[in-house]
Amino acid sequence: KGRRQKMDAKTLLVRNVYKTITLKPTVVSEDTELKDVIRAIINDPITRSVYVIDKRKRFVGYITVLQLLRLTHIRWGGTLPRREETKDIIKIETASKINKVMHSPIFVYEDDILLKVLGNMLEEKVQELPVINKNRQIIGDINCLEILKGFWKV
């Protein structure tokens, strides 16, 4: 039997922990209707983000469940948060497709150091990030539960 290499915080990589809970991320094309994005999330209740790809299957953006809740609140007449800008409200109220409300892409690679990825997730206030290859194609995602599992070895 081979000896297992002990992992520490400086050597633990994304590849060591992703795909241990989330096997397949939720992905939609950039021309997907918002209602279909909501349907995709409901069909995959473990997901906290939907990733958006272009016609060449490259990652181009994302939206989180919390952002979709915010959009829903504004659309159905909820009180506007003070920090919302009028142009953002108009964009949200008139959008019918994901490409009008998605956020710019943030992502990780399989060989990224997990501790650094965790820091980025905390800074960006997201619970999962797509893992992409050199062609910007999504090959998986890493979520907060997989990170906890990796560091705490539970």
Side-chain angles (χ1 to χ4, degrees), residues 1-7 153:
K1 291 182 178 180
R3 292 175 52 180
R4 282 182 76 184
Q5 181 182 0
K6 185 178 178 184
M7 295 283 178
K153 299 183 182 12

Side-chain angles (χ1 to χ4, degrees), residues 26-51:
T26 302
V27 177
V28 298
S29 65
E30 58 190 337
D31 62 348
T32 302
E33 298 284 333
L34 288 172
K35 194 170 199 173
D36 293 326
V37 174
I38 303 291
R39 188 174 289 116
I41 287 176
I42 291 169
N43 288 336
D44 185 11
I46 196 168
T47 194
R48 294 295 170 256
S49 299
V50 174
Y51 307 122

Side-chain angles (χ1 to χ4, degrees), residues 110-141:
E110 284 183 304
D111 291 327
D112 285 349
I113 296 170
L114 197 60
L115 191 60
K116 186 173 180 179
V117 169
L118 175 56
N120 291 343
M121 289 173 75
L122 293 170
E123 186 176 315
E124 295 291 333
K125 297 181 175 133
V126 295
Q127 294 182 31
E128 57 192 3
L129 287 171
V131 180
I132 67 168
N133 64 20
K134 62 182 172 148
N135 298 319
R136 290 186 64 128
Q137 295 172 326
I138 299 170
I139 57 173
D141 78 342

